[in-house]
Amino acid sequence: MASEGPKYIFVVGGVMSGVGKGVATSAIGRILKSKGLNVTALKIDPYINVDAGTMNPTEHGECFVLGDGDECDQDMGNYERFLDIDLSRGNYMTTGRVYLEVIKRERNLEYKGRNVEVVPDIPLEVIRRIEAAQQAANADVTLIEVGGTIGEYQNIIFLEAVRMMKMKKPRDVAIVMVSYVPIPGNIGEMKTKPTQYASRSLNSVGLQADIILARAARPLDEKRKEKIGVFCNIPTENVISAPDVASIYDVPLNYEKDGLGKILCDVLGLEDRPADMKDWEAFVESSKNTTKELSIAVVGKYFDTGDFVLADSYISVLEALKAAGYAQGVKVKLSYLDSEEYEKDPSKLSDLSQYAGIVVPGGFGTRGIEGIIASIGYARENKIPYFGLCYGMQLAIIEYARTKAGIEGATTEEADAAAVHPVIGVMNDQKEKLTKNDYGGTMRLGTYPCVLTPGTVAASAYGKEQINERHRHRYEVNPAYIEQLTNAGLVFSGKSPDGRLMEIAELPVSEHPFFLGTQFHPELLSRPLTPHPLFSAFLKAAGEKG
Ligand code: GLN
């Protein structure tokens, strides 16, 4: 009999990491949303870090920032983009976060003197968090992605939470295993055994997958589906083919080809309804019908990292550029350029002339910044559209201060704490924390309002006077230099409502086709179906340069 309560779908990973659980979770969410269901999503990360703010992005991928300032895993960005919803702190947990809460409660005597144990108290806290997120969103379906791979030690306590929830609400909980089906080169045939083992590992912690998403280079044939079904104990039709696709945005449409939405509704006792994916289909179509390719350079400090890692470190920037491009019939081709090359050999700067536009994304630290500053100077002088995101704005201001406002040696306190001309400076309330090495969560984080100056590039791109954008930075434009910079021609076109903080800096169109930097991270608010206005404006200018 159909149950009326809210439904929960746990997404777990089998065989190996990196097969796209985050995209799978997001795509399932998109399908269910298209069926008119209210969907929310949570990510569980099995590491001790309390948030993703202290982790190196080249190791862990981008640190995504939510509206409430939570620093979290890049998958949260995928959920927001695919589901077109705003998530909050309650949608993200790590082992560290869960233990911290339980220990805090124990210290507060909230367990009333009883023995507090890993089992059941940790899984109970996990379940409490999942149910709280469901309630906050009033969700019909709550998706929970369990980080890590089945069989490893780290996420076992989370799988125990799944088991306890499934016991409590057997008809309201579905388990989806995203597995991997390799095609070894020397055999040339799809092998299902690793998936069978993963399924058995899942059984060994008291769980049975309801659905298996079989990631593979190619679609699965019927024989493989049958085999996985028999050995993993599920109906053949619950084995969904998840082949590699050209774009992650194809994934929901591909799943629907195998009827995933209906199968999930059946498993959960939900009445099935048609999925209205017209908007999504049109978006995917636009991504395939691009008529023009634009080469955009991303300049930063990059060392010993492959393209894959870099693409992961700046995933939101990449997705924001892609989305803005598709809406203009443009395919964006990104090149990641190492700024230290320009420090070693400034003559290489002229290579930048081949790009239609230059982006400097967010960043931290000193290494490579002189090379970035030099490339911004090149973009400014040679009228190459330039878009600076956070550090990209700060460094553009430093470049302008040095060359146009005559502030010799202008820099950021991040590079030189004793600088004579810190045009970018640390915020006073952060100073104290930094002296104590208290780095966790010390930045200006999350959504802040910004007032735009009418008639500027920013105001015309947004088409409104007040905006809200997400931040993640420690430093700000130093108020002591604003007048000098303004007199030298730099326009602060976005400011905090009290006028104290400079949020956008730009050059007028009479001076440059597009030269704009934001203290905030606009990429965090770009969505596939609603590209961000500043990314659209930047690409339009880049398209005009060609
Ligand atoms: N490092 C700079 C700051 O902390 C910029 C941060 C960023 O680009 N996210 O202010």
Side-chain angles (χ1 to χ4, degrees):
M1 205 186 75
S3 141
E4 300 299 321
K7 307 293 182 181
Y8 300 88
I9 301 173
F10 287 92
V11 179
V12 299
V15 180
M16 63 181 202
S17 64
V19 289
K21 279 201 305 294
V23 171
T25 307
S26 309
I28 291 172
R30 184 76 213 184
I31 293 171
L32 295 174
K33 183 174 171 159
S34 306
K35 285 179 179 289
L37 292 159
N38 187 13
V39 182
T40 192
L42 288 93
K43 170 90 197 260
I44 303 180
D45 266 329
Y47 40 66
I48 304 281
N49 302 58
V50 172
D51 55 49
T54 52
M55 278 185 275
N56 183 345
T58 55
E59 241 173 68
H60 176 259
E62 168 189 270
C63 170
F64 194 78
V65 183
L66 302 177
D68 62 10
D70 202 26
E71 295 174 282
C72 55
D73 185 79
Q74 64 182 49
D75 277 330
M76 299 291 283
N78 276 326
Y79 304 163
E80 285 203 346
R81 285 188 285 270
F82 273 74
L83 289 167
D84 200 9
I85 51 173
D86 289 339
L87 298 171
S88 60
R89 191 176 296 274
N91 293 79
Y92 184 62
M93 69 181 108
T94 66
T95 298
R97 203 170 272 197
V98 173
Y99 272 77
L100 205 59
E101 178 73 28
V102 170
I103 293 169
K104 193 186 92 204
R105 285 215 211 116
E106 184 275 326
R107 295 285 81 189
N108 289 345
L109 293 181
E110 287 177 46
Y111 291 97
K112 304 198 187 332
R114 80 169 166 78
N115 210 359
V116 184
E117 307 207 56
V118 171
V119 180
D121 294 299
I122 298 297
L124 283 174
E125 169 60 14
V126 173
I127 293 171
R128 186 191 68 75
R129 283 167 176 258
I130 293 170
E131 291 179 341
Q134 180 279 324
Q135 277 164 20
N138 193 22
D140 302 316
V141 182
T142 302
L143 288 154
I144 309 103
E145 179 188 345
V146 182
T149 310
I150 298 156
E152 67 187 19
Y153 191 71
Q154 303 212 58
N155 60 11
I156 218 131
I157 203 71
F158 298 116
L159 297 175
E160 177 62 8
V162 183
R163 193 191 65 83
M164 285 164 68
M165 237 179 132
K166 179 86 184 170
M167 278 227 325
K168 208 166 106 190
K169 308 174 173 188
R171 285 291 287 148
D172 297 330
V173 172
I175 298 168
V176 175
M177 179 170 86
V178 183
S179 193
Y180 183 65
V181 187
I183 309 172
N186 58 337
I187 305 177
E189 187 190 305
M190 244 177 207
K191 304 306 279 182
T192 64
K193 196 75 80 195
T195 298
Q196 297 175 34
Y197 284 133
S199 166
R200 257 175 239 166
S201 290
L202 195 59
N203 295 158
S204 74
V205 292
L207 296 174
Q208 166 65 51
D210 296 291
I211 291 167
I212 293 179
L213 299 180
R215 289 280 296 109
R218 295 199 299 264
L220 260 64
D221 54 28
E222 262 324 284
K223 201 168 144 228
R224 296 304 181 301
K225 283 189 177 180
E226 274 165 26
K227 206 164 174 184
I228 291 177
V230 169
F231 286 103
C232 301
N233 216 15
I234 57 173
T236 311
E237 61 270 23
N238 290 18
V239 181
I240 307 290
S241 209
D244 291 347
V245 281
S247 152
I248 53 171
Y249 300 115
D250 281 329
V251 174
L253 304 177
N254 244 10
Y255 287 168
E256 269 304 76
K257 277 189 204 144
D258 273 10
L260 179 60
K262 179 180 183 316
I263 295 167
L264 271 168
C265 287
D266 288 350
V267 169
L268 288 168
L270 281 170
E271 190 191 324
D272 187 33
R273 29 195 141 175
D276 178 2
M277 311 248 319
K278 274 190 230 69
D279 286 359
W280 196 264
E281 278 163 12
F283 163 69
V284 170
E285 207 46 40
S286 72
S287 73
K288 293 183 176 145
N289 290 335
T290 51
T291 47
K292 190 171 173 180
E293 188 173 272
L294 283 182
S295 282
I296 304 290
V298 180
V299 182
K301 48 158 187 182
Y302 306 118
F303 247 175
D304 303 334
T305 47
D307 282 355
F308 173 76
V309 181
L310 287 178
D312 250 26
S313 308
Y314 299 110
I315 180 164
S316 294
V317 177
L318 177 63
E319 294 307 326
L321 283 167
K322 279 191 338 198
Y326 296 153
Q328 296 174 24
V330 163
K331 189 173 175 201
V332 175
K333 193 170 153 266
L334 284 190
S335 301
Y336 296 97
L337 306 181
D338 181 353
S339 62
E340 282 178 301
E341 292 297 314
Y342 307 125
E343 291 175 10
K344 286 183 221 143
D345 180 3
S347 73
K348 284 196 179 149
L349 280 169
S350 59
D351 293 351
L352 289 169
S353 61
Q354 64 187 292
Y355 295 98
I358 296 173
V359 174
V360 171
F364 294 86
T366 319
R367 187 159 57 79
I369 64 166
E370 289 304 325
I372 299 179
I373 292 169
S375 60
I376 296 172
Y378 187 89
R380 187 178 53 72
E381 276 165 16
N382 293 282
K383 311 231 183 286
I384 304 172
Y386 173 75
F387 194 14
L389 312 171
C390 203
Y391 216 9
M393 170 185 112
Q394 297 176 352
L395 297 176
I397 291 172
I398 291 170
E399 194 280 327
Y400 203 80
R402 288 180 189 174
T403 52
K404 301 295 278 187
I407 308 172
E408 210 176 306
T411 190
T412 163
E413 283 188 342
E414 185 166 359
D416 179 3
V420 181
H421 288 303
V423 293
I424 307 296
V426 74
M427 297 143 79
N428 276 335
D429 44 349
Q430 310 291 27
K431 268 189 183 141
E432 203 186 327
K433 285 180 180 165
L434 288 176
T435 52
K436 291 187 204 148
N437 271 359
D438 182 7
Y439 286 102
T442 56
M443 288 189 269
R444 182 171 172 222
L445 290 165
T447 303
Y448 286 87
C450 167
V451 178
L452 304 175
T453 312
T456 56
V457 174
S460 75
Y462 279 100
K464 50 183 167 182
E465 276 168 26
Q466 177 148 345
I467 53 163
N468 292 294
E469 291 281 357
R470 295 184 191 173
H471 293 245
R472 181 176 186 246
H473 54 102
R474 225 170 243 127
Y475 301 86
E476 299 281 353
V477 178
N478 186 340
Y481 295 92
I482 291 171
E483 206 184 309
Q484 231 175 318
L485 289 163
T486 308
N487 289 343
L490 194 65
V491 177
F492 290 105
S493 52
K495 297 179 186 172
S496 59
D498 64 6
R500 280 181 49 229
L501 304 171
M502 302 300 108
E503 311 285 42
I504 309 178
E506 62 177 70
L507 288 179
V509 271
S510 54
E511 295 292 316
H512 197 285
F514 189 95
F515 189 93
L516 185 145
T518 59
Q519 185 58 85
F520 48 82
H521 287 271
E523 70 273 20
L524 300 174
L525 288 187
S526 167
R527 303 269 163 91
L529 305 183
T530 43
H532 192 285
L534 290 181
F535 279 89
S536 301
F538 165 66
L539 274 192
K540 195 163 164 284
E544 278 156 20
K545 177 184 180 287

